[in-house]
Amino acid sequence: MSGTLYLVPTPIGNLGDISQRARDTLAQADFLAAEDTRVTLKLLNHLGLHKPLLSYYEHNKVQRGGQIVERLLSGESCALVTDAGTPAISDPGEDLVRLCAQAGVPVCPIPGPCAAVTAISASGLPTGRFCFEGFLSTAKKSRRAHLESLRDEKRTMIFYEAPHKLLATLEDLVAVFGPDRPIALCRELTKVHEEFFRTTLSQALAHYRENPPRGEFVLVLAGAPEEKAPEASAAQAAQRVAELMSQGLSRKDAVKQTAQELGLSRNAVYGAALEE
Ligand code: SAM
């Protein structure tokens, strides 16, 4: 019978955030696969654990992934850890999980620290629907293309960002989403200098032009505001939809025609008609 791959999240700053289950899983695994064995060794020393360590990172993941799956298939269990946070989230692990799934090796995720979830929970922005966008490219062209693809995104968006790229990213965010879009810049989460800067894009840019950014950042950006017809035209739109429907048009066609006549979006007209 094959062993199990355990995905073990580690603290993103505060060592107290390691859970009992994460600790037990590390202690019981036959071997650990770690992004940077030196970083993981420090954590193991803190926990008083001595475990066989294997490196698994971006540049050896193809060859190493196969070796790990073979060991799992032969019955050993493996705990995958990265430098900080949840494996496979903007970190090595995604490919190993896929290989295991393909080989029929059980994958057991242990819940724990993740910068994206920690940030959005305290961002003050809507959390009902959000999308995780990971790191933006360092190349200006593809970074802008990525952001352009999100221009009409209504969900709250989460980005990871390095401090030395923050200003360039804020400039691009202003260009694509406008100066007034709300943003929460969540810095040094769980650490001594933890900070939540809840502001707008233009104010964030002005602030960090004056105060060079330091530390680790998660950017939580508000989605595009829901389009709503202005009050007067909402009533007007609803009335026109009703009129057209009484003349025999389907709701869909009435909404379409009203939108064209009043220069409103179909969504706004539909919303107005429903409210009425
Ligand atoms: N797998 C990790 C997780 O679950 O969050 C993310 C790893 S990714 C390589 C590292 C990025 O996560 C950083 O560049 C930063 O954007 C974010 N991050 C990690 N720790 C953070 C912290 N303590 N405060 C703010 N952002 C952090």
Side-chain angles (χ1 to χ4, degrees), residues 9-14 35 82 84-92 112-117 119 132 135 159-163 186-191 215-219:
T10 53
I12 56 170
N14 186 324
E35 183 181 10
T82 58
T86 300
I89 305 299
S90 289
D91 258 349
C114 175
V117 176
F132 175 63
F135 285 102
F159 301 91
Y160 282 163
E161 195 49 285
C186 310
R187 197 174 76 84
E188 295 288 86
L189 294 165
T190 78
K191 302 183 193 175
E216 296 194 278
F217 282 86
V218 180
L219 309 182

Side-chain angles (χ1 to χ4, degrees), residues 3-7 33 68 72 76-80 93 96-98 100 105-109:
T4 297
L5 175 72
Y6 294 93
L7 306 177
I68 294 172
L72 284 158
E76 288 186 88
S77 63
C78 171
L80 175 67
L96 187 57
V97 170
R98 188 171 46 249
C100 286
V105 171
V107 177
C108 177

